[in-house]
């Protein structure tokens, strides 16, 4: 989903001066290059940034059979991503479907409160049965936070808290190992495995019965 990547970029590039945030070479180069471009040309600059495109595609699911004519249907999960950021004392909503940023008002001492009100108003526009909303935040790597905390606790001689911090850090490391494995499985090509499985089932004379059963179940579900 390209707008998810653009939403992340909208947050990072507009919060580059935030404490603890350092842009890498690829994003710093993009920001410098696109700073004076009009909005539409900035979009093209993002699309043509090879490193960003490579990072985006690394998380895409493989599509062994792709039709150029296929369009999204009501059964597809088509999500839209919007960014909320404080900038120069104001809070902005960055929506890729709009021609430019939307000024939500003064940030004050609690810019999250301003963003929260805008998000709540947007959610209330939908029916009460709509629950497909997801609120995410870009934060510091918890491993780095825990490592800094551990160093302070160790310097203070708090062995008990250091042990707790080590346990939290181990959980964060395990979590990222799980995420890495999930990503490998997500974009692995399982088509050869499925084809070989069908061949084995056909050789054992079980494939036709399974296909017939599946069609009957699909027809029964459609009739409900």
């Amino acid at each position: 989903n390209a707008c998810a990547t653009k939403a992340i970029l909208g947050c990072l590039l507009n919060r580059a001066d935030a404490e603890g945030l350092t842009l890498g070479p690829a994003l710093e180069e993009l920001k410098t290059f696109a700073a004076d471009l009009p909005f539409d040309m900035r979009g093209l600059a993002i699309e043509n940034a090879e490193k960003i495109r490579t990072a985006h595609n690394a998380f895409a699911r493989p599509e062994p059979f792709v039709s150029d004519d296929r369009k999204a249907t009501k059964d597809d999960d088509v999500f839209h991503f919007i960014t909320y950021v404080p900038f120069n004392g104001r809070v902005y909503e960055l929506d890729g479907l709009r021609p430019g940023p939307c000024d939500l008002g003064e940030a004050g001492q609690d810019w999250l409160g301003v963003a929260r009100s805008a998000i709540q108003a947007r959610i209330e526009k939908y029916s009460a049965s709509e629950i497909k909303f997801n609120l995410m935040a870009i934060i510091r790597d918890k491993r780095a936070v825990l490592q800094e905390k551990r160093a302070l606790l160790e310097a203070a001689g708090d062995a008990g808290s250091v042990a707790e911090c080590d346990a939290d850090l181990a959980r964060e490391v395990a979590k990222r190992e799980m995420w890495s494995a999930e990503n490998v499985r997500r974009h692995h090509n399982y088509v050869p495995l499925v084809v070989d499985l069908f061949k084995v089932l056909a050789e054992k004379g079980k494939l036709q019965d399974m296909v017939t059963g599946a069609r009957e179940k699909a027809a029964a579900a459609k009739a409900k």
Side-chain angles (χ1 to χ4, degrees):
N1 192 318
C3 76
T5 296
K6 290 183 178 179
I8 294 173
L9 291 175
C11 180
L12 293 177
L13 296 178
N14 286 287
R15 295 288 291 154
D17 60 341
E19 183 180 356
L21 176 61
T22 303
L23 296 181
L27 292 185
E28 193 65 58
E29 181 181 345
L30 173 65
K31 182 180 180 182
T32 302
F33 174 75
D36 297 324
L37 296 177
F39 293 122
D40 55 342
M41 295 300 293
R42 290 181 185 180
L44 289 175
I46 293 173
E47 292 176 8
N48 289 295
E50 184 178 351
K51 290 184 178 179
I52 293 175
R53 184 170 60 249
T54 299
H56 171 85
N57 291 337
F59 291 90
R61 291 181 301 179
E63 298 290 348
F65 308 106
V66 179
S67 172
D68 292 336
D69 298 328
R70 184 183 183 278
K71 295 182 179 180
T73 68
K74 63 181 180 65
D75 296 323
D76 289 319
D77 288 329
V78 181
F79 298 108
H80 183 53
F81 294 81
I82 299 171
T83 301
Y84 295 87
V85 292
F87 186 79
N88 288 342
R90 312 287 294 182
V91 180
Y92 291 93
E93 179 184 87
L94 307 180
D95 185 344
L97 297 180
R98 293 184 174 182
C102 177
D103 187 345
L104 300 178
E106 293 185 5
Q109 298 298 317
D110 180 24
W111 77 268
L112 288 174
V114 178
R116 188 182 303 113
S117 297
I119 294 169
Q120 187 64 43
R122 178 178 285 273
I123 291 175
E124 290 174 354
K125 292 180 180 179
Y126 297 87
S127 65
S129 61
E130 180 57 72
I131 60 172
K132 291 184 178 180
F133 298 101
N134 193 6
L135 186 60
M136 296 176 284
I138 297 178
I139 62 173
R140 286 191 66 197
D141 188 332
K142 288 186 177 181
R143 293 171 299 179
V145 175
L146 287 169
Q147 287 168 352
E148 292 175 1
K149 180 180 177 180
R150 187 189 187 285
L152 293 174
L153 292 171
E154 190 173 30
D158 190 343
S161 296
V162 168
E164 292 180 5
C165 200
D166 285 339
D168 291 338
L169 184 57
R171 281 192 289 270
E172 287 299 319
V173 171
K175 186 189 299 181
R176 278 155 181 78
E177 290 175 350
M178 179 184 67
W179 289 345
S180 178
E182 287 177 351
N183 192 45
V184 170
R185 288 194 293 268
R186 184 168 63 247
H187 64 257
H188 180 73
N189 182 9
Y190 289 96
V191 172
L193 171 63
V194 174
V195 171
D196 286 342
L197 179 60
F198 285 163
K199 288 180 179 178
V200 172
L201 290 171
E203 290 172 357
K204 294 185 177 182
K206 297 181 178 181
L207 182 60
Q208 187 58 52
D209 290 340
M210 294 179 68
V211 171
T212 302
R215 286 175 175 172
E216 290 174 352
K217 288 182 180 179
K222 189 175 182 180
K224 289 183 180 179

